[in-house]
Coordinates of all heavy atoms in Angstrom, one line a residue:
K1 N 1.5 13.0 1.7 CA 1.0 12.2 2.8 C 0.9 10.8 2.5 O 0.5 10.5 1.3 CB -0.3 12.8 3.3 CG -0.2 14.2 3.8 CD -1.5 14.6 4.3 CE -1.4 16.1 4.9 NZ -2.7 16.5 5.4
P2 N 1.1 9.9 3.4 CA 1.0 8.4 3.1 C -0.4 8.0 2.6 O -0.5 7.2 1.7 CB 1.4 7.7 4.4 CG 2.0 8.8 5.2 CD 1.6 10.1 4.8
Q3 N -1.4 8.6 3.2 CA -2.8 8.1 2.8 C -3.0 8.5 1.3 O -3.7 7.8 0.5 CB -3.8 8.7 3.7 CG -5.2 8.1 3.5 CD -5.3 6.6 3.7 OE1 -4.8 6.1 4.7 NE2 -5.8 5.9 2.7
G4 N -2.5 9.7 0.9 CA -2.6 10.1 -0.5 C -1.9 9.2 -1.4 O -2.5 8.9 -2.5
L5 N -0.8 8.6 -1.0 CA -0.2 7.7 -1.9 C -1.0 6.4 -2.0 O -1.2 5.9 -3.2 CB 1.2 7.3 -1.4 CG 2.2 8.5 -1.3 CD1 3.5 8.1 -0.5 CD2 2.7 8.8 -2.8
A6 N -1.5 5.9 -0.9 CA -2.4 4.7 -1.0 C -3.6 5.0 -1.8 O -4.0 4.1 -2.6 CB -2.7 4.3 0.5
N7 N -4.3 6.1 -1.6 CA -5.4 6.5 -2.4 C -5.1 6.5 -3.9 O -6.0 6.1 -4.7 CB -6.1 7.8 -1.9 CG -6.6 7.6 -0.5 OD1 -6.7 6.6 0.1 ND2 -6.9 8.8 0.1
T8 N -4.1 7.1 -4.3 CA -3.7 7.2 -5.7 C -3.4 5.8 -6.3 O -4.0 5.5 -7.4 CB -2.4 8.1 -5.8 OG1 -2.7 9.4 -5.3 CG2 -2.0 8.1 -7.3
A9 N -2.7 5.0 -5.6 CA -2.5 3.6 -6.0 C -3.8 2.9 -6.2 O -4.1 2.2 -7.2 CB -1.5 2.8 -5.1
W10 N -4.7 3.0 -5.2 CA -6.0 2.3 -5.2 C -6.8 2.8 -6.4 O -7.4 2.0 -7.1 CB -6.7 2.6 -3.9 CG -8.1 2.0 -3.9 CD1 -8.5 0.7 -3.5 CD2 -9.3 2.7 -4.2 NE1 -9.8 0.6 -3.7 CE2 -10.4 1.7 -4.1 CE3 -9.6 3.9 -4.7 CZ2 -11.7 2.0 -4.4 CZ3 -10.9 4.2 -5.0 CH2 -11.9 3.3 -4.8
A11 N -6.9 4.1 -6.6 CA -7.6 4.7 -7.7 C -7.2 4.2 -9.1 O -8.0 3.8 -9.9 CB -7.6 6.2 -7.7
F12 N -5.9 4.2 -9.4 CA -5.4 3.7 -10.6 C -5.7 2.2 -10.8 O -6.0 1.7 -11.9 CB -3.9 3.9 -10.7 CG -3.5 5.3 -11.3 CD1 -3.7 6.4 -10.5 CD2 -3.1 5.4 -12.6 CE1 -3.5 7.7 -11.0 CE2 -2.8 6.7 -13.1 CZ -3.0 7.9 -12.3
A13 N -5.5 1.4 -9.7 CA -5.8 0.0 -9.8 C -7.3 -0.3 -10.0 O -7.6 -1.2 -10.8 CB -5.3 -0.7 -8.6
T14 N -8.2 0.5 -9.3 CA -9.6 0.3 -9.5 C -10.0 0.6 -11.0 O -10.8 -0.2 -11.5 CB -10.3 1.3 -8.6 OG1 -10.0 1.0 -7.3 CG2 -11.8 1.2 -8.8
L15 N -9.3 1.5 -11.6 CA -9.6 1.8 -13.1 C -8.8 0.8 -14.0 O -9.1 0.9 -15.2 CB -9.2 3.3 -13.4 CG -10.1 4.3 -12.7 CD1 -9.6 5.6 -12.9 CD2 -11.5 4.2 -13.2
G16 N -7.9 0.1 -13.4 CA -7.1 -0.9 -14.2 C -6.0 -0.1 -15.1 O -5.6 -0.6 -16.1
V17 N -5.6 1.0 -14.6 CA -4.5 1.7 -15.3 C -3.2 1.5 -14.7 O -2.9 1.8 -13.5 CB -4.9 3.3 -15.2 CG1 -3.8 4.1 -15.9 CG2 -6.3 3.6 -15.8
L18 N -2.4 0.9 -15.6 CA -1.0 0.6 -15.1 C -0.1 1.8 -15.5 O 0.0 2.0 -16.7 CB -0.5 -0.7 -15.7 CG 0.9 -1.2 -15.4 CD1 1.1 -1.2 -13.8 CD2 1.2 -2.5 -16.0
A19 N 0.5 2.4 -14.6 CA 1.3 3.5 -14.9 C 2.7 3.2 -14.2 O 2.9 3.6 -12.9 CB 0.7 4.8 -14.3
P20 N 3.6 2.5 -14.8 CA 4.8 2.0 -14.2 C 5.6 3.1 -13.5 O 6.0 2.9 -12.3 CB 5.6 1.4 -15.3 CG 4.6 1.0 -16.3 CD 3.5 2.1 -16.2
Q21 N 5.8 4.2 -14.1 CA 6.7 5.3 -13.4 C 5.9 5.8 -12.1 O 6.6 6.1 -11.2 CB 7.0 6.4 -14.3 CG 7.9 6.0 -15.5 CD 8.1 7.2 -16.5 OE1 7.3 8.0 -16.7 NE2 9.3 7.2 -17.0
L22 N 4.7 6.0 -12.2 CA 3.9 6.4 -11.0 C 4.0 5.4 -9.9 O 4.2 5.7 -8.8 CB 2.4 6.7 -11.4 CG 1.5 7.0 -10.2 CD1 2.0 8.3 -9.5 CD2 0.1 7.1 -10.6
F23 N 3.8 4.1 -10.3 CA 3.8 3.1 -9.2 C 5.2 2.9 -8.6 O 5.4 2.6 -7.5 CB 3.2 1.7 -9.7 CG 1.8 1.8 -9.6 CD1 0.9 2.3 -10.5 CD2 1.2 1.1 -8.5 CE1 -0.4 2.3 -10.4 CE2 -0.2 1.0 -8.3 CZ -1.0 1.7 -9.3
D24 N 6.3 3.1 -9.5 CA 7.6 3.1 -8.9 C 7.9 4.3 -7.9 O 8.4 4.0 -6.9 CB 8.7 3.2 -10.1 CG 8.8 2.0 -10.9 OD1 8.4 0.9 -10.4 OD2 9.4 2.0 -12.0
A25 N 7.3 5.4 -8.3 CA 7.4 6.5 -7.3 C 6.7 6.3 -6.1 O 7.1 6.6 -5.0 CB 7.0 7.8 -8.1
I26 N 5.5 5.8 -6.2 CA 4.6 5.5 -5.0 C 5.3 4.4 -4.1 O 5.4 4.6 -2.9 CB 3.2 5.0 -5.4 CG1 2.4 6.2 -6.1 CG2 2.5 4.4 -4.3 CD1 1.1 5.7 -6.6
A27 N 5.9 3.4 -4.7 CA 6.6 2.4 -4.0 C 7.7 3.0 -3.2 O 8.0 2.7 -2.0 CB 7.1 1.2 -4.9
R28 N 8.6 3.9 -3.9 CA 9.7 4.4 -3.2 C 9.3 5.3 -2.0 O 9.8 5.3 -0.9 CB 10.6 5.2 -4.2 CG 11.4 4.4 -5.0 CD 12.4 5.2 -5.9 NE 11.8 6.3 -6.5 CZ 11.3 6.3 -7.8 NH1 11.3 5.2 -8.5 NH2 10.8 7.4 -8.3
A29 N 8.3 6.2 -2.3 CA 7.8 7.1 -1.3 C 7.1 6.4 -0.2 O 7.2 6.8 1.0 CB 6.8 8.1 -1.9
S30 N 6.3 5.4 -0.5 CA 5.5 4.6 0.5 C 6.4 3.9 1.5 O 6.1 3.7 2.7 CB 4.6 3.7 -0.1 OG 3.6 4.4 -0.8
K31 N 7.5 3.3 1.0 CA 8.4 2.5 1.8 C 8.9 3.4 3.0 O 9.0 2.8 4.2 CB 9.7 2.1 1.1 CG 9.4 0.8 0.2 CD 10.7 0.4 -0.4 CE 11.4 1.4 -1.1 NZ 12.6 1.0 -1.8
K32 N 9.1 4.6 2.8 CA 9.6 5.5 3.9 C 8.5 5.9 4.8 O 8.8 6.3 5.9 CB 10.2 6.8 3.2 CG 11.4 6.5 2.3 CD 11.8 7.8 1.5 CE 12.8 7.4 0.5 NZ 13.2 8.6 -0.4
R33 N 7.3 5.8 4.4 CA 6.2 6.3 5.2 C 5.2 5.3 5.7 O 4.1 5.6 6.2 CB 5.4 7.4 4.4 CG 6.3 8.6 4.0 CD 5.5 9.5 3.1 NE 6.3 10.7 2.8 CZ 7.1 10.8 1.8 NH1 7.4 9.7 1.0 NH2 7.8 11.9 1.6
I34 N 5.5 4.0 5.4 CA 4.5 2.9 5.5 C 4.0 2.8 7.0 O 2.9 2.5 7.2 CB 5.1 1.6 5.0 CG1 4.0 0.7 4.6 CG2 6.0 1.0 6.1 CD1 3.4 1.0 3.2
G35 N 4.9 3.2 7.9 CA 4.5 3.1 9.3 C 3.4 4.1 9.7 O 2.8 4.0 10.8
N36 N 3.3 5.1 8.9 CA 2.2 6.1 9.2 C 0.8 5.8 8.6 O -0.1 6.5 8.8 CB 2.7 7.5 8.6 CG 3.9 7.9 9.3 OD1 4.1 7.7 10.5 ND2 4.8 8.6 8.6
L37 N 0.8 4.7 7.8 CA -0.5 4.3 7.3 C -1.4 3.6 8.2 O -0.9 2.8 9.0 CB -0.3 3.5 6.0 CG 0.0 4.1 4.7 CD1 0.3 3.1 3.7 CD2 -1.2 5.0 4.2
K38 N -2.7 3.8 8.1 CA -3.7 3.1 8.9 C -3.8 1.7 8.2 O -3.4 1.5 7.1 CB -5.0 3.8 8.9 CG -4.9 5.1 9.7 CD -6.2 5.8 9.7 CE -6.1 7.1 10.4 NZ -7.4 7.9 10.4
P39 N -4.4 0.7 8.9 CA -4.5 -0.6 8.3 C -5.2 -0.6 7.0 O -4.7 -1.3 6.0 CB -5.4 -1.4 9.3 CG -5.0 -0.8 10.7 CD -4.7 0.7 10.3
Q40 N -6.2 0.2 6.8 CA -6.9 0.3 5.5 C -5.9 0.8 4.4 O -6.0 0.3 3.3 CB -8.1 1.2 5.6 CG -8.9 1.2 4.3 CD -9.6 -0.1 4.0 OE1 -10.3 -0.6 4.9 NE2 -9.6 -0.6 2.8
G41 N -5.1 1.7 4.7 CA -4.1 2.2 3.8 C -3.1 1.2 3.4 O -2.7 1.1 2.2
L42 N -2.7 0.4 4.3 CA -1.8 -0.8 4.1 C -2.4 -1.8 3.1 O -1.8 -2.2 2.1 CB -1.4 -1.5 5.4 CG -0.5 -0.7 6.4 CD1 -0.4 -1.5 7.7 CD2 0.9 -0.4 5.8
A43 N -3.6 -2.1 3.5 CA -4.4 -3.1 2.6 C -4.7 -2.5 1.2 O -4.5 -3.2 0.2 CB -5.7 -3.4 3.3
N44 N -5.0 -1.2 1.1 CA -5.3 -0.6 -0.2 C -4.0 -0.6 -1.1 O -4.1 -0.8 -2.3 CB -5.8 0.8 0.0 CG -7.3 0.8 0.4 OD1 -7.9 -0.2 0.5 ND2 -7.7 2.0 0.8
T45 N -2.9 -0.3 -0.4 CA -1.6 -0.2 -1.2 C -1.3 -1.6 -1.7 O -0.9 -1.7 -2.9 CB -0.5 0.3 -0.3 OG1 -0.8 1.6 0.1 CG2 0.8 0.4 -1.1
A46 N -1.3 -2.6 -0.8 CA -1.0 -3.9 -1.2 C -2.0 -4.5 -2.3 O -1.5 -5.0 -3.4 CB -1.1 -4.9 0.0
W47 N -3.2 -4.2 -2.1 CA -4.3 -4.6 -3.1 C -3.9 -3.9 -4.5 O -4.0 -4.6 -5.5 CB -5.7 -4.2 -2.7 CG -6.7 -4.5 -3.7 CD1 -7.3 -5.7 -3.8 CD2 -7.2 -3.7 -4.6 NE1 -8.3 -5.7 -4.8 CE2 -8.2 -4.4 -5.4 CE3 -7.0 -2.4 -5.0 CZ2 -8.9 -3.9 -6.5 CZ3 -7.7 -1.8 -6.1 CH2 -8.7 -2.6 -6.8
A48 N -3.7 -2.7 -4.5 CA -3.4 -1.9 -5.8 C -2.2 -2.6 -6.5 O -2.3 -2.8 -7.7 CB -3.2 -0.4 -5.5
F49 N -1.2 -2.7 -5.9 CA 0.1 -3.2 -6.5 C -0.2 -4.7 -7.0 O 0.1 -5.1 -8.1 CB 1.2 -3.2 -5.6 CG 1.9 -1.8 -5.5 CD1 1.3 -0.8 -4.9 CD2 3.1 -1.7 -6.2 CE1 2.0 0.5 -5.0 CE2 3.7 -0.4 -6.2 CZ 3.2 0.6 -5.6
A50 N -0.8 -5.5 -6.1 CA -1.2 -6.9 -6.5 C -2.1 -7.0 -7.6 O -2.0 -7.8 -8.6 CB -1.7 -7.6 -5.3
T51 N -3.2 -6.1 -7.6 CA -4.2 -6.1 -8.7 C -3.6 -5.8 -10.0 O -4.0 -6.4 -11.0 CB -5.3 -5.1 -8.3 OG1 -5.9 -5.6 -7.2 CG2 -6.3 -5.0 -9.5
L52 N -2.7 -4.9 -10.1 CA -2.0 -4.5 -11.4 C -0.8 -5.4 -11.7 O -0.2 -5.2 -12.7 CB -1.7 -3.1 -11.4 CG -2.9 -2.1 -11.4 CD1 -2.4 -0.6 -11.3 CD2 -3.8 -2.3 -12.7
G53 N -0.5 -6.3 -10.8 CA 0.7 -7.1 -11.0 C 2.1 -6.4 -11.0 O 3.0 -6.8 -11.6
V54 N 2.1 -5.3 -10.2 CA 3.3 -4.4 -10.1 C 4.2 -5.1 -9.0 O 3.8 -5.3 -7.8 CB 3.0 -3.0 -9.7 CG1 4.2 -2.2 -9.4 CG2 2.1 -2.4 -10.6
L55 N 5.4 -5.5 -9.4 CA 6.3 -6.1 -8.6 C 7.0 -5.0 -7.7 O 7.7 -4.2 -8.3 CB 7.4 -6.9 -9.3 CG 6.8 -8.1 -10.1 CD1 7.9 -8.8 -10.9 CD2 6.0 -9.1 -9.2
A56 N 6.9 -5.1 -6.4 CA 7.6 -4.1 -5.5 C 7.9 -4.9 -4.3 O 7.3 -4.6 -3.2 CB 6.7 -2.9 -5.3
P57 N 8.9 -5.8 -4.3 CA 9.2 -6.7 -3.2 C 9.6 -5.9 -1.9 O 9.1 -6.2 -0.8 CB 10.3 -7.6 -3.6 CG 10.8 -7.1 -4.9 CD 9.7 -6.1 -5.5
Q58 N 10.3 -4.8 -2.0 CA 10.7 -4.1 -0.9 C 9.5 -3.3 -0.2 O 9.4 -3.3 1.0 CB 11.7 -3.0 -1.2 CG 13.1 -3.6 -1.6 CD 14.1 -2.6 -2.0 OE1 13.8 -1.4 -2.3 NE2 15.3 -2.9 -1.9
L59 N 8.5 -2.9 -1.1 CA 7.3 -2.3 -0.5 C 6.5 -3.4 0.3 O 6.0 -3.1 1.3 CB 6.5 -1.7 -1.7 CG 5.1 -1.1 -1.2 CD1 5.3 0.0 -0.2 CD2 4.4 -0.6 -2.4
F60 N 6.4 -4.5 -0.4 CA 5.6 -5.6 0.2 C 6.2 -6.1 1.6 O 5.6 -6.4 2.5 CB 5.3 -6.7 -0.7 CG 4.2 -6.6 -1.6 CD1 4.3 -6.0 -2.8 CD2 2.9 -6.9 -1.2 CE1 3.2 -5.7 -3.7 CE2 1.8 -6.7 -2.1 CZ 1.9 -6.1 -3.3
D61 N 7.6 -6.1 1.6 CA 8.3 -6.4 2.9 C 7.9 -5.3 3.9 O 7.7 -5.7 5.1 CB 9.8 -6.5 2.6 CG 10.2 -7.7 1.9 OD1 9.4 -8.7 1.8 OD2 11.4 -7.7 1.4
A62 N 7.9 -4.1 3.5 CA 7.7 -3.0 4.5 C 6.2 -3.1 4.9 O 5.8 -2.9 6.1 CB 7.9 -1.6 3.8
I63 N 5.3 -3.5 4.0 CA 3.9 -3.6 4.4 C 3.7 -4.7 5.4 O 3.0 -4.7 6.4 CB 3.0 -3.8 3.2 CG1 2.9 -2.5 2.4 CG2 1.6 -4.3 3.6 CD1 2.2 -2.7 1.0
A64 N 4.4 -5.9 5.2 CA 4.4 -7.0 6.1 C 4.9 -6.7 7.4 O 4.3 -7.0 8.4 CB 5.2 -8.2 5.4
R65 N 6.0 -5.9 7.5 CA 6.6 -5.6 8.8 C 5.7 -4.7 9.5 O 5.4 -4.9 10.7 CB 8.0 -4.9 8.5 CG 9.1 -5.9 8.3 CD 10.4 -5.2 8.4 NE 10.6 -4.0 7.5 CZ 10.9 -4.0 6.2 NH1 11.2 -5.1 5.7 NH2 11.0 -2.8 5.5
A66 N 5.1 -3.7 8.9 CA 4.2 -2.7 9.5 C 2.9 -3.5 10.0 O 2.4 -3.2 11.1 CB 3.7 -1.6 8.5
S67 N 2.4 -4.4 9.2 CA 1.2 -5.2 9.6 C 1.6 -6.1 10.8 O 0.7 -6.3 11.7 CB 0.7 -6.0 8.4 OG 0.4 -5.3 7.4
K68 N 2.7 -6.7 10.8 CA 3.1 -7.6 11.8 C 3.1 -6.9 13.2 O 2.7 -7.4 14.2 CB 4.4 -8.3 11.6 CG 4.8 -9.3 12.6 CD 6.2 -9.9 12.1 CE 6.6 -11.0 13.1 NZ 7.9 -11.6 12.8
K69 N 3.7 -5.6 13.2 CA 3.7 -4.8 14.4 C 2.4 -4.5 15.0 O 2.3 -4.3 16.1 CB 4.5 -3.6 14.1 CG 6.0 -3.8 13.9 CD 6.6 -2.4 13.6 CE 8.1 -2.6 13.3 NZ 8.8 -1.3 12.9
R70 N 1.4 -4.4 14.1 CA 0.0 -4.0 14.6 C -0.9 -5.1 14.7 O -2.1 -4.9 15.1 CB -0.5 -3.0 13.5 CG 0.3 -1.8 13.3 CD -0.2 -1.0 12.2 NE 0.6 0.1 11.8 CZ 0.4 1.0 10.9 NH1 -0.8 0.9 10.3 NH2 1.2 1.9 10.6
I71 N -0.5 -6.3 14.4 CA -1.6 -7.4 14.3 C -2.3 -7.6 15.5 O -3.5 -7.9 15.5 CB -0.9 -8.7 13.8 CG1 -1.9 -9.6 13.3 CG2 -0.1 -9.4 15.0 CD1 -1.4 -10.7 12.3
G72 N -1.8 -7.3 16.7 CA -2.5 -7.5 18.0 C -3.6 -6.4 18.1 O -4.5 -6.6 18.9
N73 N -3.4 -5.3 17.4 CA -4.4 -4.2 17.6 C -5.4 -4.1 16.5 O -6.2 -3.2 16.5 CB -3.6 -2.9 17.7 CG -2.7 -2.9 18.9 OD1 -3.0 -3.3 19.9 ND2 -1.5 -2.3 18.7
L74 N -5.3 -5.0 15.5 CA -6.2 -4.9 14.4 C -7.6 -5.5 14.7 O -7.7 -6.5 15.4 CB -5.6 -5.6 13.2 CG -4.3 -5.1 12.6 CD1 -3.9 -5.9 11.4 CD2 -4.6 -3.6 12.0
K75 N -8.6 -4.8 14.2 CA -9.9 -5.4 14.3 C -10.2 -6.4 13.2 O -9.4 -6.4 12.2 CB -10.9 -4.2 14.1 CG -10.8 -3.1 15.2 CD -11.8 -2.1 15.0 CE -11.6 -0.9 16.0 NZ -12.4 0.3 15.8
P76 N -11.2 -7.2 13.3 CA -11.4 -8.2 12.3 C -11.4 -7.7 10.8 O -10.8 -8.3 9.9 CB -12.7 -8.8 12.7 CG -12.8 -8.7 14.1 CD -12.1 -7.3 14.4
Q77 N -12.1 -6.5 10.7 CA -12.1 -5.9 9.3 C -10.7 -5.6 8.8 O -10.4 -5.8 7.7 CB -13.0 -4.7 9.4 CG -13.1 -4.0 8.0 CD -13.9 -4.9 6.9 OE1 -14.9 -5.5 7.3 NE2 -13.4 -4.9 5.8
G78 N -9.9 -5.1 9.7 CA -8.5 -4.7 9.3 C -7.7 -6.0 8.9 O -6.9 -5.9 8.0
L79 N -7.9 -7.1 9.5 CA -7.3 -8.3 9.2 C -7.8 -8.8 7.9 O -7.1 -9.4 7.1 CB -7.5 -9.3 10.3 CG -6.7 -9.2 11.6 CD1 -7.1 -10.1 12.6 CD2 -5.2 -9.3 11.4
A80 N -9.1 -8.7 7.7 CA -9.7 -9.2 6.4 C -9.2 -8.5 5.2 O -9.1 -9.0 4.1 CB -11.2 -9.2 6.6
N81 N -9.0 -7.2 5.4 CA -8.5 -6.3 4.2 C -7.2 -6.8 3.9 O -6.7 -6.6 2.8 CB -8.6 -4.9 4.6 CG -10.0 -4.4 4.7 OD1 -10.9 -4.9 4.1 ND2 -10.2 -3.3 5.5

């Protein structure tokens, strides 16, 4: 499930654990399911990858596209995340 991928990335980043193979797998799987994430999941995924310095340009492009489609429906907290 997409939220599970976001939660896993967030948990590893929160602990400061860089697991390159795991993050590569999360990036690949998340790109396909990014549209199913809630705004918090999008934010958590982006935060986790950025916090650990994991380069995933295709994933960030997908997050940006998904966010752009929803920007009119986001609450202030969703925009701040």
Side-chain angles (χ1 to χ4, degrees):
K1 294 184 177 182
Q3 190 61 49
L5 294 169
N7 291 349
T8 300
W10 177 86
F12 273 73
T14 298
L15 293 173
V17 177
L18 180 58
Q21 291 179 328
L22 174 63
F23 275 81
D24 286 345
I26 289 172
R28 284 192 308 275
S30 294
K31 282 187 306 186
K32 299 172 187 174
R33 298 172 178 89
I34 207 78
N36 296 324
L37 277 174
K38 295 179 181 178
Q40 185 68 47
L42 292 172
N44 287 351
T45 301
W47 178 86
F49 277 73
T51 296
L52 292 175
V54 177
L55 300 178
Q58 292 178 342
L59 175 60
F60 277 91
D61 287 345
I63 290 171
R65 283 191 304 274
S67 298
K68 185 177 177 182
K69 287 179 184 177
R70 301 175 189 182
I71 200 155
N73 298 323
L74 293 178
K75 297 177 182 175
Q77 182 66 41
L79 287 170
N81 290 335

